Amino acid sequence: MTAGHVVSVETLMLRVGTDNRWSYRHAMTSPRAGETPDEAARRLSGVRGDDPGVVLHSTSWRYEPDGRVVLTYAVCPDPAPWLPAERVPALEIARGAAPATPSPERLALANVVAHAIRHLAFLADEDPVVARTLARHPRLGRALSGPPGGAAAPEPAATGA
């Protein structure tokens, strides 16, 4: 990153309904002076660093045309499930047009959410700390492992969002 880039921290508080469909809450902030992005994500989501029942994990970053670099954090399960949330219409991953052009032409927030959910599914399989935490929430495990709406749901073949 070069001088002049501003870092924004985005949190996606994720939850699964009884129908195995994903919903999310979205919030964004900038780290305060002396605050790390991880600390900013915890502050924004209301998650304590020692909370054994919630995964807070950086899942992606993106460069915005205004010069900001946005670090995205997945927070799962949503620490405030009583608050209103947006339903994820489909777990569609945005893709670039070619192997050496990874940035998609268009990127919707739902694409970022889909990427975060797939990242969590990978971590649930590969990271024992994340796997133990998510195992406390059986509905999350089912949604991360397959359709309908789970991380293994079929993806469209087209590129872009």
Side-chain angles (χ1 to χ4, degrees), residues 131-150:
R132 273 193 306 277
T133 301
L134 294 177
R136 296 170 165 223
H137 311 281
R139 188 179 300 155
L140 290 173
R142 286 190 301 273
L144 288 169
S145 66

Side-chain angles (χ1 to χ4, degrees), residues 9-42:
V9 173
E10 169 178 66
T11 59
L12 304 170
M13 284 70 68
L14 303 169
R15 64 177 87 153
V16 174
T18 55
D19 60 356
N20 204 33
R21 303 298 295 187
W22 289 94
S23 296
Y24 67 94
R25 292 186 304 115
H26 173 259
M28 194 169 287
T29 192
S30 294
R32 295 175 177 162
E35 186 178 52
T36 67
D38 289 0
E39 291 166 337
R42 282 194 297 271

Side-chain angles (χ1 to χ4, degrees), residues 35-126:
E35 186 178 52
T36 67
D38 289 0
E39 291 166 337
R42 282 194 297 271
R43 172 177 50 83
L44 192 58
S45 63
V47 173
R48 295 183 333 269
D50 63 351
D51 188 332
V54 177
V55 172
L56 184 140
H57 190 86
S58 175
T59 59
S60 64
W61 68 272
R62 69 183 178 276
Y63 178 79
E64 294 286 340
D66 64 3
R68 285 181 306 137
V69 174
V70 179
L71 303 176
T72 302
Y73 285 79
V75 181
C76 192
D78 183 347
W82 57 89
L83 294 175
E86 288 289 320
R87 176 166 238 152
V88 180
L91 294 183
E92 185 176 334
I93 304 296
R95 294 176 173 80
T101 57
S103 296
E105 189 175 308
R106 290 179 317 278
L107 182 70
L109 183 56
N111 301 127
V112 178
V113 172
H115 180 85
I117 292 167
R118 286 185 50 124
H119 194 99
L120 283 177
F122 168 78
L123 291 172
D125 285 343
E126 300 294 328

